[in-house]
Every structure is written in C-alpha cells, then in structure tokens.
Amino acid sequence: MRNLRCVQVSTIQNVPGIKATAWDVSNHSVVCLRDTDCLLCFERWVDDELHQVACWDAPQTPYHAVDLHFFGDTESACIIFDNGDLVVVREIPSNEERIEIVGSIDSGISAAAWSPDEELLIVTTKASTLIFLTRDFEDLVSVELTAGDLEVSDHVSVGWGKKETQFKGKKARALRDPTVPETIDDGRLAKDNEFHETTISWRGDGAYVAVNAVEDSTQRRVIRIYSREGVLDSVTEPVNGLIGPLSWRPAGNLLAAVQVYGEKHQVIFFERNGLRHGQFALRSLDGTRKGQDVCIRSLHWNVDSTVLAIGYDDRVQLWTMGNYHWYLKQELFEPTLKWHPEKPLAFALTPKLCHSIRRLQYTFDVGAGPIIPPFDYGVVVVIDGKTLKITPFRQANIPPPMALYEVNMEENANDVSVTLQSTEPERPMFKIHVLHPSKTAAYLLDLSTAQPPQAIEEGGLPDPANIFVNGTRHDSTRPLSLQRSSSGAGHSDFKLTENGFLLANGRVLTRGCTSYLVTPSHLIFTTSQHLLKFVHLVAKSEDLEVPPDTPESDERCRSIEGGAKLVTAMPSIFAVVLQMPRGNLETIYPRALVLAGIRNSIDEKKYKKAFLACRNQRVDMNILHDHQPDQFIANIGLFIDQVKKVEHIDLFLSSLREEDVSKTMYRETLRVDEREPTSTTGVLTAKVNRVCDAFLEALRSRKANVKNLITAQVCKNPPDLDAGLVEIVRLREKGSDQVDETVEHICFLADVNRLYDNALGLYDLQLTLLITQQSQRDPREYLPFLQNLQGQELSRRKFSIDDYLGRFKKAVGHLHELNAFEELKSYTARHSLYEDALSFYRYDEANYSSIMQLYTDHLKSTSRFKEAASAFHYLDDKPQASECYRLANQWQESLSIASTIPLPDDKLRSLAETLAQSALETKDFRAAAIIYLEYLHDVPSAAKYFCKGYLFTEAFRTITLSNQEHTDLLTSVFDIGLTENMASITELLADCKAQLAAQVPRIRELREKKKEDPLAFFEGDVNEGKDIPDDVSLAPTDASTMGGSLFTRYTNRTTTGTAETGTSRRSSKNRRREERKRARGKKGSVYEEEYLVNSVRRLVERVNGVGEEVGRLVEWMFRRRMVERARAVEGGMVEVVGLCRRAVKEVFDAQVVGVEAEQERVDAPVVNEFGRLPFLSQSQ
C-alpha cells in the first residue's frame, strides 16, 4: 500500500564524460570518474560542485570503466578498466603515490565486484577466468570457467515435454497434469538482447558470489555460484533467453535475472541451488516501441531488499513487491543508477548522455486521503505503473493487490496525492492528483455513487521553480513529487527521520519508530518493538506523553505483528489499517480510538451511538455514566428515548458496578490535563443505586416495559428482589398476559433459589409457585410444602414461612400475635431471641419476668456474668447476683449485695478474701488494699499492698489511722516497702541502660553499611557473624527507619498505586513466613534494623510509664531520711532519661531520604520530663 516518494534531490549540471560513480559511505557523498579532453579525472561531489581529486592521461585505446569502488577507511578508490588495469587513487596520500596502477591483467577484464566487507575482489577475465584477489590485490584463487561446471548441479529431468513421453490419446489435453510444464528449456541464448557480457553479484553476507556468463562451447548462458573460498557450489538450471543482468538479493534468498522470450521480458528468480523460484513479467515501456528494441542493461537491489531497480538503455524503473505482486512505483529517465550502500532509498543517477549527475532520497509513503472526521473514508491510492489502485477502506476492506477501483492511464505514475473536493458530508468527493514523468492529471472520486473515478483535468508539468520537496526548492527540470500539507496541522509538526527518530517540533519524542499518523486527537505510531502506540495531542509538544511499553496494562499501547506499519486511520469508525511485512492488511479497532469516539459521542449527547460502540467493541458500559456522571443523570430520559430497545436498556443496567472506570480501567486513555489525581480511589459511593433509581423514575413516567423496571430493581446493590417481585404481582393483578415472560426475565437476572425465598417471604404462594416452576426443584418436594402452607391460618402461615426462611425475629412476632406464650418461650430459648421476646412483653410484668429468668440463665451459661448479675439483681435474686458480680471481678457490687442479704460473717470474710486474691492476680493493688482494710480489717496487709502499688500516701494514711503503734508499722511495713520498690526500679534502670548501650551502636553500624553498599546490605550477612542482643519484645510492626530502599520486598513500601499489587502477588503462606522473619529480627537479616528501632521505641515508652512511680518513690524515701538511696534512684532515672533522649535523636530524628522520611518523624516517641526534687539537687 506504499508508494515511493522523492523527499530530497540535488543535481549538478554540465558535467560531461561521466564514466562511473560510487558512494563514499563515511561522508555520504558521491565520487565519480570523468573523461575530459583525453584526461581521466577522479572527482568528489562537494557543495553541489565536483571537486577534482586526481587527474591522469586516459588510455589511447578505447576503454571502459568496469568498476569504481571507494574505501572510506583509507580514503582511496579502486578503478578497474576493461583493458586489465587496476588503478588506485588516494585522496590523502601519505608515503604513497596519489595515483597508482597496482596491477594489470593482459587478457582484459570483463567484470569485477568487491565483496560487501571490502576484503575480496572478484574479477572475470575475457579469457573466461575467475580470479579472487585480496584487499592488497594478492591472488588467492584462479578458476577456469569451463563447460564441465554445468555438471555440478544434477538437476533432475525425466523427459517431461518430449514427444515420446507425452500421452496423445483421446481427451489428452484435459487429462494433462497442470503442474508439469509442456516444454523444458535447454538454455538457448536470446536472439536480440544478448551482448555476451558478464555480471558478478555478491550475496549480502559475502559468503557466496554469483557469476552470470555465456559458456561459448555450449552457447548457453549460465549463472555459477561460488563460495568465498572459490569453490563452485552450484549452477542454475537451463533457461531459454536468459540475458546478462544479475543481482543477488541482499537478504540472500533469491537471485534476480532477466529472461527474454519473444517480445516480452520477465524478471526470474533463482535459489542458491540453481533452481527457479518464481518470476514476474515486465510491462511494455510505451505503445510505439517493440519488444526487440527494449534493452535491459542492469538489475540492482537496494540494501534492505525492498526495491528492485531495473535499468534500461534510457531509463530506470523501481519495483516493489507486496502480497506476492510486483508493483512498478517509479520510472526515471536516467539509465545508470547507483544505490547507497547503507541508506536503503538513496541513490545516484546519471543520464544517458552523462552530462549531469543527481542524488535522490526517496521514502515509502501512503497515498492516503484526509483522516479528519467525517471525511475519514480511508481512501488509499496505490501506484502500479499505468494503473492506480484505489480503495476507500471505510466502504470496502479489499486486500492488495486487488482494489475497489482501478484507473488505467496512458503513462506510468510517479506520485499521487488525495485531497478533499467537497465539504458536504452527504456527498464525499475526493480529488486524486497524479504526477507522470511528462504531465500531471487529476481524477474525481465520488463515494456517494458506485462510479469509478473520472478524469477531470490534465496538463503539463508545473514550473520547476514552484516544486518543493521536503521544504527544499527543487532544482531539476522534472518534478519528482507533489506538494504535501503538514501532517500535524493545528498541533505539533511531526517528522520521522531515517534512523527511526520521531520528532515533534524538532524534539525527539521517541526512538525506534517505523511509521506514524496524526488524527485530530492522537498521534499514532508503530515501533520496532512491534507495538502500536497512541499519544494524546496537546498544545505544547513538551507536554506530549508517550505511553510505556506495557500493552498488558495500558490501553494506549497495543501489541501488533512484527514489522507491521500504518496505512491509514478512520477515527469515525475507530479503525486503524495496518500492513504486514508480506503485504496483507489487518484492520483493528484500538481501545484508544474507540474510547475517544465514545467520549465524543457522550459529550455530544449521542448516547445511542456511544452505546452501540461500547456493545460492538466490548467496552465497559459504565463509561457511559462515568465520563459525565451529572450530565448522564440529567439526561437519562434522552438515553432511554435514543436507545429505545428493551434489551439494550437491560444490557446497560445489568453492566453497572460501583467502580468508576474513567478513573481506573480507562484512565490512561484520557489526556494528561483531563485526568483525575492518582489518589482517587475510583469507587463511586452508591452509584449503582443512584442510576437505577433515576432509571426507575424515568421509566415509570414513560410507562415503559415492565422488564426494564424489574431490571432496574434487581440490578441494585444489594438487589431489591422484593420490589421486582412486587412489579410482577401488580402485572398479575392487571390480568396481563406477560406475567410468565416477566417471571422468566427476573429468573434470568437473579438466582432462582433466592427469588423463591423472597417470593415466599412476601407470603404470596401463587407468585412462589410461578417462580418455582422456573427452577430445577422437584415438584414432589415443593408442592406438598406449599399445599400445607395454603391450609394454615394467616398468622400461623406467616410464622411457618418465616421459620422456614430463618427469619426468626419476625417468626417470634407472629407467635406473639397467635398468643402462644409457651411456644414462644421455647422458640425464644432455642434461637436466643430473648431481647426481641422481652420487647413484646415489656408491659406484661409476669410474662416479662418469666422470659427474663430464661435470659439470666442463658447469660450465666455463656459467661456473660456482668449482664447476668444485673438481671439477677432485677429479679431480686441477691445470692446469684453477688456470685455473678464476683465472677465478673466487680468486687464493690459483689460485697455490697452480699452485705444486704445478709451473709454470715465467716462467709462474708471468705468472699472478701477471694476477691482480694483476684485483685492481686490482676495487679490491682489498690483494690486489694481497700478490701483488706475495710472488710478484713488487716492494716499491715493493706499498707503493704498500698506500697506495692506505689501508693505511699495512702499507705502512710492507713498506718496513722490505725490503733497500733505508728513506729512499728512504719518501720516493719512502710520502710520495707520503700526498699523493695527501690530495688525493683534500680534493676529496671540498669536493664534499660544496657539495652540502649547495645542497640543504638548496632543501629548506627547497620545504617552505615546500608549507605556504603546497599546491595550487600540487602543480599548478604551484614553482621559478619557477630552476636546482637535479643532481650526485647518480638511484636511485629510495619514501621521502619529505612529510606527509599532498593528492594520493596523487604520494606513493603512502594510508590502510590503499586503497594497493593506487590502484596497481592505473594501467597498467604509466603506472607506469613515473611512476617515471622520480621518479628524475629534475626541477626544479619534485612529486618534487623526495623526490629532494633522498635525495641528502642518500646523501651522509651516503658521509661515514660514508670516516671511518676519513680517520682513518688524518691519523694517518700527523702521524707523517711533515706537521702542517699533517694539520690541514687533519682540519678539513675535522670541518666536513663538522658540516654533515651539521645537515642531518640539519633535513631528517629536522623535525616532520611525517601517516601518514609515523614512517616518516621511522626512515629518518633517523646521522652517525658522527670521532675527532680530540689532538696536532692541542692545537696549535690
């Protein structure tokens, strides 16, 4: 589907006598050999002029330059003449001569060719000798071309085509095998086009070389294939009329040659083994020349094997192949062509009279029409010689080489362009401009009719001064291409360079681009990674966002077949046409184009068009609402009126879900300036119910089909099945004949078993029977059940139904209506419905108390002692209430109620002792001390437990109020309590200092190692076998002081939007194993630092917790004249608080980098101030 279009050309005029040309690849310039006044001049093209490099006398005898080759590495050229001379011309000679004849072959040279790697030179002499020479012109191999070479390839022949092997019976022609040729070629030479020349062609990799020469002894032209070492590998099979031109396709699979038969010519192909492999016929050059007058001089493949140049005696034709059809793309009236060795579509041309030289750069270009809606009909015009193949892909998707319309012309076409002729959408008309070598023409294509394009105007060539190629003024007398409009009109100016760089206003947008198109809203391009990408067009080229190579997650990127390129796009039907490397076409509907079209339709309130696009392209229907939610809700009536069909409305309603697909699934297909922030959750609260309610209101106002009403009810979240069933009941009451149909509809939308339960819950047995008939239930099961219900009284039937459906609370209400109290009591106890039963009898004291008694027994049996105690207290069962309060550790209530029974003194004392022991077990020393003081009258024990709870003031007050000697209890109880608490605090402070001294330096060491070598920190044993303390809690935590880590597997912290994805990839078993590792904080693991940091945090919290207790202890020790002990405890506490402050500053407030920095500063603990006694401070 691609034509060849000239994008750059430069010419040097008035340079007669050009004998040969070559390319200097290093400078991308042309060098040539020119004969001027009996002098041979070697010249270089510089700044549109030929600069002379060297000059020497021309041979006296007639001569011909067989080959000219330039070596860019040594800046020298090798010229081979037919008289046998091999001349080297050095542009920058060092110690060597500028012009040197390095060798000469006496018998003369008929052909020569350098290998692609420039290491070997192959020469054929006029004495039928093949010589292999090195780069230094040393003789490697010399091979004689003899008739014996023809026996190398044993081409099998069983005599097909001979008279004696042909069946000549009746109806023989009809029985002939069509795969068998009628005649077999014997290699006869052509009569009129045979010049006995020799041609050499290398394979692209330089491993083999082919020599096309005439074997004089047999008068047969044969192609010999030699290996690089000079070993004959194969010869071609005999072909009649084979002439001299030969070119080996650089890809290596085929050799191209020319066959003449009669007045016709065809290019034939051979494999390396010498067997034929297809052909294509050449077309007549014009209507006046005969076949015998046509002389084909050369064949040349370009470097990437895409274009075959066929050189005649007065012109060159460029052919390409697609879908096994050969297209004639260009006809240039200069017979000598030289392809650039590296640039596929660059070449140099010299005319027949050799008075000028031209450099041309071509590109493959699609002759496509406009792609701006509504005129995006996908009109593509393909040049094939004198035929234009025209296909509007929006109307007919016809694969090449066929086309919907074919226009035959008098002359070969060189370029074509398509413009819009009419702006009326109802009558799309396009003007096709054609450039011929000698004139221009135009054709009108009217797509509103079935007529082929009609010629409307024809004229001569335009003024060369007005022809522009790629923005550069054309300086040739023949225009080579038509003017194109800028592809990025209204947006950035896009350009694709030769090396695959896609530029936007001169800025590199992407690399590896192979083709591109620009639509009104997207830049579409293909890449060498076999991806099709869409870029949203914005005002500034700097804001263009190229999607990543993630077709599995980004709708703007799509995988395509390798080598596929863009042909055209049709945004109106969301289509893109791609051409595969072989030539076949594929029309796809990318999500980016589809969604852009759907959004445009929604914005224009064309809901039917948007709905059908979603339905046909399988786009989530939620986009119809989520793109413009408020507009959709306000125009639901318009949606219903446009869509109309009941099935389509049901399809939309059944597709609703809470997710906002415009912010999740299809977020990337919006332009950057239209997207919501990434923090958006993408979930709309009550979206489904809001839309369904709006549909119900609109449908009822239009008296719409009841199916739509049912669908709107059933599709709610959760489904409102009862409302849907009520619609069926209303329909049945009206006597409609659509009841069965609507029942089938609701059973299709919802689970029939759930519908059965809901219909039964409406107490409508007839509706239940209709629903059940749509299920797979056995009538022998449900009919007796329904018949039994039918025979019951209404309240009893409701109770039976609610009991069957498990709606026990409603069933209790029906028992209350039936006044069946005993049955209600048993039913309440069986289903634990005490609170509901109590609510029915709150004004019936007797029944209320009866149910309350059941409830208290239930509470006590389920260990809910506090509620049971309150219930027993209400029922005035004081012993049970006291016992339940005791079991609930409510000692005040238990002892208070026990005192009102009243209990005997011994039982009351036993109860108090039991409660005191329970308080001690829970370390409630205050409660235990009060029980010993007030109920057991044990002052020493009360004072002891007050001291254990650091309640020294209460202990001192208790002792002073007792009748015993104060000094005895103060010494034996109070002072001993102070001493014991001092020992406990001192031990705690010592443990804290030891833990900080071990863990803080270890954290510092780990952070230094992580900073120096993160990879070793995460992969290796950073502890080097050293032990670390293990004396802190193992509680797991998610906090960490590590900054942006290299491996989020160990931190569980990633950038927004990927954390949950990373977590979900791990199985639950692996996750539990990782949590165990995190909790252990094993030495040398990546979790060690986190483990130690949280250990320091817990230590600070513990120190803060004992601060008040230590303060009270120090104060009372000072009061009891234990000054030195008080000073020691206070000093230890002050030291530990200081160590904690320094540890918090180093561990938590250190500067960190990464997403966790702010988190760590927030989680840093605060060390509370410790109030010191001024008396102790002043005495120091």
Side-chain angles (χ1 to χ4, degrees), residues 590-647:
R591 275 287 188 266
L593 279 185
V594 172
L595 290 167
I598 291 173
R599 290 189 177 100
N600 290 336
S601 299
I602 294 173
D603 293 338
E604 297 172 3
K605 298 182 182 180
K606 297 179 180 179
Y607 289 109
K608 182 176 182 180
K609 182 179 179 181
F611 172 84
L612 293 177
C614 291
R615 180 171 175 263
N616 295 336
Q617 302 300 330
R618 298 192 177 186
V619 175
D620 196 308
M621 295 284 182
N622 286 271
I623 191 69
L624 298 173
H625 168 272
D626 297 342
H627 178 58
Q628 295 281 4
D630 297 335
Q631 173 186 303
F632 183 82
I633 293 296
N635 292 277
I636 283 182
L638 179 62
F639 178 90
I640 295 173
D641 294 339
Q642 288 183 2
V643 175
K644 292 183 181 179
K645 285 190 176 182
V646 176
E647 298 82 3

Side-chain angles (χ1 to χ4, degrees), residues 757 760-763 785 789 795-814 827:
D757 294 341
L760 198 59
L762 294 176
Y763 312 117
F785 173 71
L789 292 176
S795 296
R796 175 59 65 178
R797 183 193 306 164
K798 292 181 178 180
F799 167 76
S800 300
I801 290 175
D802 289 330
D803 180 60
Y804 171 78
L805 296 177
R807 302 190 297 192
F808 304 122
K809 293 182 180 181
K810 296 184 69 174
V812 169
H814 296 312
Y827 194 82

Side-chain angles (χ1 to χ4, degrees), residues 10-39:
S10 56
T11 306
I12 299 179
Q13 301 285 357
N14 302 319
V15 283
I18 296 176
K19 297 297 183 181
T21 57
W23 283 92
D24 177 6
V25 178
S26 59
N27 297 317
H28 299 290
S29 64
V30 176
V31 296
C32 64
L33 179 67
R34 199 155 64 93
D35 188 345
T36 59
D37 298 329
C38 299
L39 292 177

Side-chain angles (χ1 to χ4, degrees), residues 141-205:
V141 180
S142 181
V143 181
E144 293 291 334
L145 304 180
T146 64
D149 298 339
L150 306 184
E151 305 298 328
V152 172
S153 295
D154 188 13
H155 301 120
V156 178
S157 175
V158 293
W160 296 111
K162 295 182 179 181
K163 292 183 179 180
E164 58 269 21
T165 62
Q166 296 300 307
F167 175 66
K168 300 298 181 181
K170 187 177 180 181
K171 299 182 181 179
R173 186 173 183 84
L175 297 176
R176 189 182 66 83
D177 188 349
T179 63
V180 177
E182 294 185 357
T183 59
I184 298 295
D185 289 353
D186 55 7
R188 290 191 301 270
L189 295 176
K191 295 180 181 180
D192 301 315
N193 289 274
E194 182 56 66
F195 302 99
H196 291 266
E197 73 270 30
T198 301
T199 311
I200 300 175
S201 181
W202 284 88
R203 199 169 75 170
D205 58 359

Side-chain angles (χ1 to χ4, degrees), residues 327-343:
Y327 297 85
L328 174 56
K329 294 297 185 182
Q330 289 280 324
E331 187 174 57
L332 305 171
F333 286 86
E334 289 97 344
T336 306
L337 177 143
K338 189 72 173 182
W339 287 109
H340 193 288
E342 291 183 355
K343 295 183 178 181

Side-chain angles (χ1 to χ4, degrees), residues 91 123 416 918 1019:
E91 256 193 294
V123 175
V416 64
S918 298
E1019 294 294 338

